[in-house]
Amino acid sequence: MPVQNYNINTRDAVVGQTYGLMHTMTIHSGVVEGSGVAAGLAVQRGATDRSCAAGGGGAGDVFAMCVLQQVKEASLRPSDGTVDYVAGDVVGLLREGFINVAAGEAVSAGDSVYVNDTTGVLYKSTGTGRTLSTNMVFETSAGVDEISVVKIALA
């Protein structure tokens, strides 16, 4: 029997969870392509219909953010809460709304979002392989690898 490592009383502010009570939130589903994705990271449109791949893909408008789903076991034992989705998995894709992410560097509320084109990690500053997202903004302040809330608008 598989080990189940979650219960109904999940903690607050987990990477990949949607944030707050929203009346406008758009979540679609997609099939993972390539090397896989992780919750709380930006994804780009895949090569086939209804698919996605890791990273921003160099686009100014980020396609979606990968949402954490409690239907898959954690990747590590003992669990640190990390859930990876591999090629062929169906994932929730947040197209519009608020989501908890792990900031790639210290950020402040209102900072612009730069997306790593291949990994999907979010930053506040430009860098090699990063593209400015025109439809995302950091909503809360956080340190490196701490949880911040990001708002994504439907592009």
Side-chain angles (χ1 to χ4, degrees), residues 32-38 52-55 84-89 118-119:
V32 176
E33 290 183 348
S35 59
V37 298
C52 64
D84 294 312
Y85 304 102
V86 298
D89 284 347
T118 55
T119 66

Side-chain angles (χ1 to χ4, degrees), residues 12 21 28-29 33-34 39 43-44 46 57 83 96 99 104 108 125 127 142 147 155:
D12 292 334
L21 299 173
H28 294 194
S29 62
E33 290 183 348
V43 296
Q44 58 187 300
V83 177
E96 180 178 31
I99 188 167
S108 297
S125 60
I147 294 177

Side-chain angles (χ1 to χ4, degrees), residues 47-73:
T48 60
D49 291 347
R50 297 186 51 117
S51 67
C52 64
D61 290 333
V62 171
F63 175 59
M65 296 292 296
C66 184
V67 177
L68 178 65
Q69 300 175 89
Q70 298 290 350
V71 297
K72 191 167 180 182
E73 290 188 38

Side-chain angles (χ1 to χ4, degrees), residues 2-60:
V3 176
Q4 296 192 12
N5 63 345
Y6 64 89
N7 62 46
I8 196 164
N9 301 311
T10 57
R11 64 180 197 239
D12 292 334
V14 174
V15 171
Q17 280 184 335
T18 56
Y19 174 80
L21 299 173
M22 297 166 272
H23 64 279
T24 55
M25 177 172 62
T26 305
I27 298 180
H28 294 194
S29 62
V31 177
V32 176
E33 290 183 348
S35 59
V37 298
L41 296 180
V43 296
Q44 58 187 300
R45 284 186 190 274
T48 60
D49 291 347
R50 297 186 51 117
S51 67
C52 64

Side-chain angles (χ1 to χ4, degrees), residues 43-44 54-62 115-119 129-133:
V43 296
Q44 58 187 300
D61 290 333
V62 171
V115 180
N116 183 294
D117 297 335
T118 55
T119 66
R130 296 180 194 167
T131 301
L132 175 64
S133 171

Side-chain angles (χ1 to χ4, degrees), residues 103-109 111-112 122-125 138 140-146 148:
E105 63 186 336
V107 299
S108 297
D111 282 345
S112 297
L122 308 182
Y123 300 89
K124 72 170 184 180
S125 60
F138 284 104
T140 60
S141 302
V144 178
D145 292 330
E146 291 181 357
S148 177

